[in-house]
Amino acid sequence: MSNREREREREIFDCIIIGGGPAGYTAAIYLARAEIKHIIFTGLKPGGQLISTNKVENYPGFPNGISGYKLMESFKAQSERFGTKVKDNSVVKINFNIIKTLHEVILDNSLKRKTKAVIIATGASPRYLNLENENKLIGKGISTCANCDGFFFKGKKVAVIGGGDKAAEESIYLSNLCKKVYLIIRDKKMKASKIMQKKVLNIKKVEIFYAHKVIKIIGVKKIKAIFCKNIKHNNNYLFKVEAMFLAIGQIPNSLICKPNIKLDKYGYIITKYTITNIPGIFAAGDVQDSKYRQAITSAGSGCMSAIEVEKYLQERIY
């Protein structure tokens, strides 16, 4: 270890933010303006899930919409303008209360950073079907991002799995590229917002199949078809497609919290506002929100967590 690295390990931050999505960057903006010494570790996917969203139409302040990537770049630029240090390291472990109420995070390069408070804003990851053959075909026809991978299936038949806003958005985007889009929904109706439903229903290239469940993925080196069961009529249907885009929800990225931080049965961090069961540890965004899961609510909880950190630090003498 170099002398510079040793000095960094001795450095103590007022707050370390883990995660670089709307919650993390908003927390950073508020901490920076409060002149609280902090650093943000964005992990391997700066910007979170939002960077793969083609167009965000419901974030206030953008009447014509904005791409998720540009929105998150703006979040980052704003936080850096106020002095936030942004690093792309991942945090692999948190050591709680190493000295009284001082915590320590361990990075993916094995370096350690000490801090008085931590904001966990690690977000969530796309959920998969957990079917045989699925893992082998990720990147070979199976994707969770139409904006990222849709181009490779231009003029082809594809399927989108899911019935929420994300599935609707993926279907709309793919309809501009693909020959045919099968929207396969497990429930008997769509859960997407009314405006998104109307958009999808008005696209001729999108064919919707309600009450269908994917039970088998066919293909060796790439997807050739998916086999579905019609839950309502108890019969099966084969969709010959070259790609399957999953939009069936998310799993909170809360692994680093175990076993110390309390989680609910689905893995979301349990908070009171943004306060966890461990003093000095706060959580914001999708990692603690199983209900709303919107960019604006994530940003709002990021603001709340920063205010809670400021209050926490003021109430303690270090």
Side-chain angles (χ1 to χ4, degrees):
M1 184 185 297
S2 67
N3 290 333
R4 188 177 180 182
E5 288 172 342
R6 288 192 182 94
E7 287 179 10
R8 286 179 177 176
E9 288 205 342
R10 286 194 291 266
E11 186 178 13
I12 297 176
F13 291 93
D14 290 324
C15 184
I16 286 177
I17 303 167
I18 307 173
Y25 280 128
T26 302
I29 291 167
Y30 276 78
L31 291 177
R33 287 175 58 82
E35 297 186 348
I36 293 172
K37 185 179 179 181
H38 68 288
I39 189 170
I40 181 170
F41 294 110
T42 63
L44 298 176
K45 195 176 181 181
Q49 293 188 79
L50 208 60
I51 60 170
S52 62
T53 301
N54 184 46
K55 193 172 185 180
V56 181
E57 293 186 320
N58 56 2
Y59 201 92
F62 300 94
N64 298 316
I66 184 173
S67 77
Y69 178 82
K70 287 183 179 179
L71 181 61
M72 292 318 304
E73 282 295 295
S74 297
F75 271 56
K76 180 185 178 184
Q78 188 173 354
S79 67
E80 288 181 319
R81 183 168 75 87
F82 291 117
T84 296
K85 293 181 180 179
V86 180
K87 300 292 182 181
D88 60 3
N89 297 89
S90 296
V91 173
V92 297
K93 186 179 180 182
I94 305 173
N95 292 326
F96 303 98
N97 302 321
I98 55 170
I99 305 172
K100 293 184 179 179
T101 54
L102 196 64
H103 309 289
E104 179 182 73
V105 302
I106 300 176
L107 306 177
D108 50 6
N109 58 7
S110 298
L111 294 180
K112 301 173 183 177
R113 295 291 182 267
K114 295 178 178 63
T115 182
K116 299 170 187 177
V118 177
I119 295 175
I120 301 171
T122 45
S125 297
R127 186 181 297 278
Y128 288 88
L129 295 167
N130 294 322
L131 292 175
E132 184 182 355
N133 217 26
E134 186 177 32
N135 287 337
K136 295 178 182 178
L137 293 173
I138 293 173
K140 299 174 183 177
I142 294 180
S143 173
T144 59
C145 176
N147 190 44
C148 308
D149 302 320
F151 176 80
F152 300 110
F153 303 97
K154 191 173 183 180
K156 308 295 183 181
K157 292 182 179 180
V158 302
V160 174
I161 315 301
D165 278 348
K166 176 67 174 176
E169 183 188 329
E170 301 278 86
S171 300
I172 294 167
Y173 178 80
L174 290 167
S175 69
N176 294 315
L177 296 170
C178 302
K179 180 180 180 181
K180 187 77 173 180
V181 179
Y182 300 113
L183 178 55
I184 300 171
I185 303 171
R186 183 168 179 169
D187 295 326
K188 295 179 181 178
K189 60 180 181 180
M190 291 183 71
K191 293 181 179 179
S193 58
K194 295 297 182 182
I195 190 169
M196 294 299 283
Q197 288 188 42
K198 287 180 181 178
K199 287 183 178 181
V200 173
L201 291 169
N202 286 328
I203 301 173
K204 292 181 179 179
K205 282 187 179 181
V206 178
E207 189 173 354
I208 304 175
F209 290 81
Y210 298 100
H212 277 66
K213 177 184 177 182
V214 181
I215 57 175
K216 189 175 181 179
I217 303 167
I218 301 169
V220 179
K221 294 183 178 180
K222 61 180 182 179
I223 285 185
K224 291 186 176 180
I226 56 175
F227 206 54
C228 295
K229 181 178 181 179
N230 186 319
I231 301 170
K232 186 176 180 181
H233 301 292
N234 200 32
N235 55 11
N236 298 325
Y237 195 93
L238 184 71
F239 294 87
K240 292 183 178 181
V241 295
E242 294 192 32
M244 178 176 73
F245 294 86
L246 297 174
I248 54 174
Q250 59 186 28
I251 299 172
N253 298 324
S254 57
L255 189 60
I256 61 170
C257 302
K258 295 180 179 180
N260 304 82
I261 298 175
K262 289 183 179 178
L263 310 175
D264 68 13
K265 63 181 181 179
Y266 301 107
Y268 289 92
I269 299 175
I270 297 173
T271 59
K272 182 178 180 181
Y273 306 111
T274 62
I275 302 167
T276 72
N277 60 297
I278 298 178
I281 306 296
F282 304 84
D286 283 5
V287 74
Q288 56 89 52
D289 176 17
S290 62
K291 185 176 181 180
Y292 301 104
R293 296 180 292 188
Q294 300 295 309
I296 191 167
T297 52
S298 289
S301 66
C303 163
M304 291 164 59
S305 67
I307 293 172
E308 292 290 354
V309 165
E310 184 176 10
K311 180 181 176 183
Y312 171 81
L313 294 174
Q314 288 172 350
E315 291 176 347
R316 285 155 179 79
I317 300 173
Y318 289 93

